[in-house]
Amino acid sequence: MNSAYRTHLETHRNTHLKELKDLLSIPSVSALSAHKPDSKRAAEWLADSLQAAGLENVKIMPTDGNPIVYADWLHADSDITALIYGHYDVQPVDPLELWQTPPFEPDIRDGKIYARGATDDKGQIFMHIKAVEALLKTEGKLPVNVKFCIEGEEEIGSPALEPFVEQNKDRLAADVLVISDTPMLEKGKPAICYSLRGLCAMQIDIRGANSDLHSGIYGGGVANPLHALAAILASMHDERGRVAVEGFYDRVRPLTEEEQQAFRDLRYDEEALKKELNVSELYGEEGFSFLERTWARPTLEINGIYGGFQGEGIKTVLPSEAHAKLSCRLVGDQDPKEIQELIEKHVYAHTPPGVQVKVTRMDTGRPFETPYDHPVIQAAMRAYEKAYEATPALTRMGGSIPIVEGFGRLLNVPVVLMGFGLPGENFHAPNEHFHLENFDKGLITICEYWKELAGIKMK
C-alpha cells in the first residue's frame, strides 16, 4: 500500500532525523534546576516545530514549573477531536561514564538513534508532529481534529499539569486522548496498553529508647525497633503471597475469562525471565501467572529498610530507631488514600509494645483503564495492523502514570496508550536509544490511526 503521505515521509526522512537530533540535543532535565533555561528552549523548539507543521493557535503557556506547549488544528470534516499528550523533559544522565556517546550529542548507529530522551519521550512526541505535518502537506487537511499538550515535568511527577488541565478543560476538550510513551511487546510485535496500575507510598518510622543502647546491657530487656519493624513488615503478607492487610482486596475487580485468555495467548516465557533475572523461582500471589501478578493484581512492596549500625564489621548496639519505605501498585477500583488508611491501621494494630510508630503517607495515583473493546482502541489496533502487518497485543502495564488517570477523570475521555518504544531501549538508563524501524512504522501507524478514527462512531 502506498500513499502520498508515505512518499512524503520517505522523501523527508533524513530531514526529520536531523530535526529530531536538534531536539534531542537540548538537555531539558526537569529534575535539575540548572537546566531550567534548557526546558524553556525545548518548549520553544517544539512550538516552532508545531507552527512549521501547520498547527494553529500555538502557545507556550506558563505554569508554576516548566511551560506547557499547546497547539491545535480544528478544521476536519469529522467531528472527532483527538488530544495528543507528550513530554519534552528527560531524566538525568548519571552515571555519565557508562554512555558510549554523550547523552546530548545524538548518534545514529546500528539502526538506532542514541540520546537521552530518544524513546522517552521526545522521539515519540516528535513522531506525532511529523505525522500531522505529512498529512497536512500531502492532503491539505487532517481526518480528525487534533490538539497537542506537551509538558516539561513528567519525569518529576507532573506537579503543574493537573492544575493546568483543571483550568483549561474547554481548551483541552476532546473525544480521545492519545499518548505514545509506553513500550511495544517486543520487536515486530506492537502493543496497545489499556490499563495502568495505581500507586501509593508510605514510610514507617519506629522509635524505641531515647538513644542507641549497649546490646549486652539492655538487649532482651528493652524493645528493639528493628525487631518491631521486622514483625510489622512480616505481618503484611501471608504464606501464599497475599497481602494480609484487612480490606486490601475489597475493591479489586477480577479479570474476565476473556482477559485471562488474552494473557495466556501472549505465551509469556516465565522460564526465560527467571534466567534473565538469575532467580530460581518467581514469587507472588498464589494462583496467578507472572503477567497477572504484575499487570492486574495489587501489590505491597518493601522498598527500603534502614536503622542501626551500617558500617563494616560489627557494633553490638540496640538501635533507638528503625525505618521502612513501602509502595503499593493498585488495580480496579482501589482508592490509594483508602489503601494508605488500611495499611496505617494495620501497622498500628501490629506494633509490638515498647516502641512508638509513625506512618507518613506519600505519593498517590489512581489506577486507570479504558475498556479494550472501546472503538478508539479497536481503531488503534487496525492502524497498527496496517503499518506492522501484525495484530497488536492488548496489554496492561504494571507501572503507574498518575497523570493518565487524571486526564481521563478531568476531561472524561478515553485514553489510548499506543507506544513505539521497545522494553530494552534503556529509558532512564545510560545509552537510551530508539529503533528507527519503529520510528518509520510508527509514523505510518499514527497517520493511519487518524484515518481509522475518523470513521468510527463514539459510544
Side-chain angles (χ1 to χ4, degrees), residues 213-242:
L213 302 174
H214 188 293
S215 66
I217 298 174
Y218 294 98
V222 176
N224 185 326
L226 282 171
H227 293 184
L229 180 60
I232 292 169
L233 296 179
S235 74
M236 290 184 171
H237 292 85
D238 66 18
E239 66 281 357
R240 295 172 297 150
R242 281 177 63 85

Side-chain angles (χ1 to χ4, degrees), residues 96-292:
L96 186 60
E97 67 273 11
L98 295 184
W99 285 81
Q100 203 170 334
T101 52
F104 296 112
E105 296 179 19
D107 184 51
I108 294 177
R109 56 184 187 270
D110 303 322
K112 307 162 196 170
I113 184 166
Y114 285 79
R116 172 59 88 226
T119 188
D120 181 21
D121 177 47
K122 286 180 177 176
Q124 299 201 57
I125 191 61
F126 177 79
M127 289 162 58
H128 277 280
I129 298 173
K130 292 295 119 178
V132 166
E133 180 181 77
L135 290 171
L136 286 174
K137 298 284 188 189
T138 59
E139 300 182 10
K141 61 180 182 178
L142 300 177
V144 295
N145 302 302
V146 299
K147 300 177 179 179
F148 279 82
C149 177
I150 309 174
E151 67 151 323
E153 297 182 315
E154 193 271 348
E155 300 293 6
I156 56 171
S158 303
L161 186 58
E162 190 158 320
F164 176 86
V165 175
E166 184 79 60
Q167 295 163 13
N168 291 274
K169 285 183 181 179
D170 291 342
R171 185 192 303 272
L172 300 174
D175 300 291
V176 58
L177 172 64
V178 177
I179 301 174
S180 296
D181 195 13
T182 50
M184 296 175 25
L185 206 58
E186 58 184 74
K187 179 179 171 62
K189 293 188 177 180
I192 300 170
C193 179
Y194 66 92
S195 177
L196 297 166
R197 291 196 292 187
L199 170 75
C200 69
M202 311 175 76
Q203 178 164 320
I204 302 173
D205 299 300
I206 306 284
R207 307 215 175 258
N210 56 9
S211 69
D212 289 357
L213 302 174
H214 188 293
S215 66
I217 298 174
Y218 294 98
V222 176
N224 185 326
L226 282 171
H227 293 184
L229 180 60
I232 292 169
L233 296 179
S235 74
M236 290 184 171
H237 292 85
D238 66 18
E239 66 281 357
R240 295 172 297 150
R242 281 177 63 85
V243 176
V245 174
E246 186 175 351
F248 186 83
Y249 292 97
D250 286 356
R251 298 184 187 275
V252 175
R253 294 196 306 268
L255 288 169
T256 65
E257 176 54 40
E258 188 176 4
E259 287 176 305
Q260 290 175 332
Q261 185 59 51
F263 279 31
R264 290 191 289 269
D265 289 344
L266 293 176
R267 302 185 187 281
Y268 190 82
D269 191 341
E270 294 190 1
E271 290 301 316
L273 178 64
K274 286 193 285 187
K275 289 180 181 177
E276 177 187 342
L277 300 179
N278 194 27
V279 295
S280 60
E281 295 295 335
L282 298 176
Y283 168 82
E285 191 180 357
E286 190 177 282
F288 296 93
S289 68
F290 175 80
L291 287 186
E292 289 172 324

